[in-house]
């Protein structure tokens, strides 16, 4: 069975500084991994997905994630945080019809 | 293209009652999944429907049920409501090319159910 663990429940950064949201996965086979974002009172939006075609995955709004099999990690990064990035981020595994969500990381961005 | 539509957006029910939530997927999407989101448990998978058949099921009691119609619209029903059923219920739809390749799941804005 696949599982995902988000290592931080809350991350706070200043506007313009880098963002790092950490996610580890466990899977006995090649995993399917995604990052979703949820803004307050909004639904979930896909940021990016790992399809095994490339280990560095680029997503929307300047986010990217690197799949590292040796470390079983799929951390989400962004070079420069913007105020509009403040939201909750979910690392997700599983298949399209049965997604397995991490507990979420709340990102705060200070002006 | 219209997104995933969930109705109603907000609902208040009394313990012991039952409730039905509705989800209209994106046109052409045949897979519809339901998730429960609570502060304590996070996002948990309820079930998935494809071509009017339940294809996957999460670890929820039998009080939680669903169905899918021929136009892919789906409903979720919760009977004998408990206080702990208060949550945001999210529906997601996706294409199902049948190739085993994961495609994006598009989420609705959810139905916030409050049980009093």
């Amino acid at each position: 069975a696949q599982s995902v663990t988000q290592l931080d429940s809350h991350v706070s950064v200043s506007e313009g500084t880098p963002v790092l949201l950490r996610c580890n996965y466990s899977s006995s086979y090649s995993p399917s991994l995604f990052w979703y974002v949820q803004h307050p009172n909004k639904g979930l939006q896909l940021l990016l997905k790992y399809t095994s075609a490339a280990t560095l995955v680029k997503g929307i709004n300047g986010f990217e994630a690197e799949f590292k099999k040796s470390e079983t990690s799929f951390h989400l990064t962004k070079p420069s945080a913007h105020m509009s990035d403040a939201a909750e981020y979910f690392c997700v595994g599983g298949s399209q019809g049965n997604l397995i969500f991490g507990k979420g990381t709340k990102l705060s961005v200070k002006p | 293209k219209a997104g995933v539509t969930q109705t109603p957006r907000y609902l208040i029910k009394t313990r012991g009652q039952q409730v039905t939530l509705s989800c209209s997927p994106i046109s052409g999407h045949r897979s519809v999944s339901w998730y429960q989101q609570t502060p304590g448990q996070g996002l948990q998978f309820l079930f998935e429907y494809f071509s009017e058949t339940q294809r996957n099921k999460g670890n929820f009691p039998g009080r939680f049920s669903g169905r899918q119609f021929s136009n892919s619209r789906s409903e979720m029903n919760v009977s004998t409501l408990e206080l702990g059923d208060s949550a945001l219920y999210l529906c997601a739809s996706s294409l199902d090319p049948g190739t085993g390749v994961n495609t994006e799941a598009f989420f609705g804005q959810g139905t916030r159910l409050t049980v009093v």
Side-chain angles (χ1 to χ4, degrees):
Chain A
Q2 189 174 6
S3 68
V4 290
T5 303
Q6 291 183 247
L7 302 175
D8 307 292
S9 59
H10 193 191
V11 169
S12 182
V13 302
S14 296
E15 192 174 20
T17 64
V19 176
L20 170 64
L21 305 182
R22 300 182 294 164
C23 172
N24 285 354
Y25 71 90
S26 72
S27 176
S28 56
Y29 49 88
S30 183
S32 301
L33 294 165
F34 313 80
W35 274 98
Y36 278 83
V37 61
Q38 186 177 36
H39 287 93
N41 299 315
K42 295 276 180 73
L44 288 151
Q45 181 184 21
L46 180 70
L47 280 177
L48 49 82
K49 61 183 177 183
Y50 169 68
T51 61
S52 76
T55 55
L56 184 62
V57 183
K58 292 191 184 298
I60 62 171
N61 300 335
F63 284 95
E64 61 182 40
E66 186 171 7
F67 175 76
K68 290 187 177 180
K69 189 174 180 179
S70 60
E71 298 176 9
T72 60
S73 69
F74 190 57
H75 300 337
L76 181 71
T77 61
K78 183 173 180 177
S80 176
H82 192 272
M83 295 298 291
S84 60
D85 294 328
E88 189 152 21
Y89 292 78
F90 294 92
C91 182
V92 183
S95 64
Q96 62 187 5
N98 182 356
L99 296 174
I100 301 164
F101 284 81
K103 291 292 188 184
T105 299
K106 197 162 195 175
L107 175 65
S108 299
V109 182
K110 298 174 289 189
Chain B
K1 204 174 193 181
V4 178
T5 304
Q6 291 188 248
T7 56
R9 290 290 313 279
Y10 302 92
L11 209 47
I12 299 176
K13 288 286 188 179
T14 305
R15 265 184 307 173
Q17 287 187 312
Q18 74 160 10
V19 67
T20 299
L21 312 181
S22 179
C23 173
S24 292
I26 291 172
S27 177
H29 285 194
R30 296 167 65 194
S31 169
V32 174
S33 301
W34 289 89
Y35 296 84
Q36 182 196 63
Q37 185 175 25
T38 59
Q41 299 299 317
L43 274 148
Q44 293 183 286
F45 170 73
L46 281 154
F47 30 65
E48 183 219 4
Y49 284 86
F50 177 76
S51 291
E52 301 178 64
T53 301
Q54 189 181 84
R55 189 162 64 171
N56 287 296
K57 189 177 188 307
N59 190 25
F60 277 80
R63 299 186 297 108
F64 292 81
S65 64
R67 59 177 176 168
Q68 187 180 35
F69 302 94
S70 58
N71 61 358
S72 292
R73 189 177 71 85
S74 178
E75 286 182 349
M76 188 193 111
N77 185 276
V78 188
S79 63
T80 320
L81 283 165
E82 301 176 0
L83 295 179
D85 297 332
S86 295
L88 180 67
Y89 290 88
L90 291 163
C91 164
S93 77
S94 61
L95 286 168
D96 193 302
T99 62
V101 176
N102 277 295
T103 60
E104 179 178 353
F106 291 83
F107 284 81
Q109 289 197 275
T111 294
R112 185 163 298 279
L113 171 66
T114 302
V115 182
V116 298

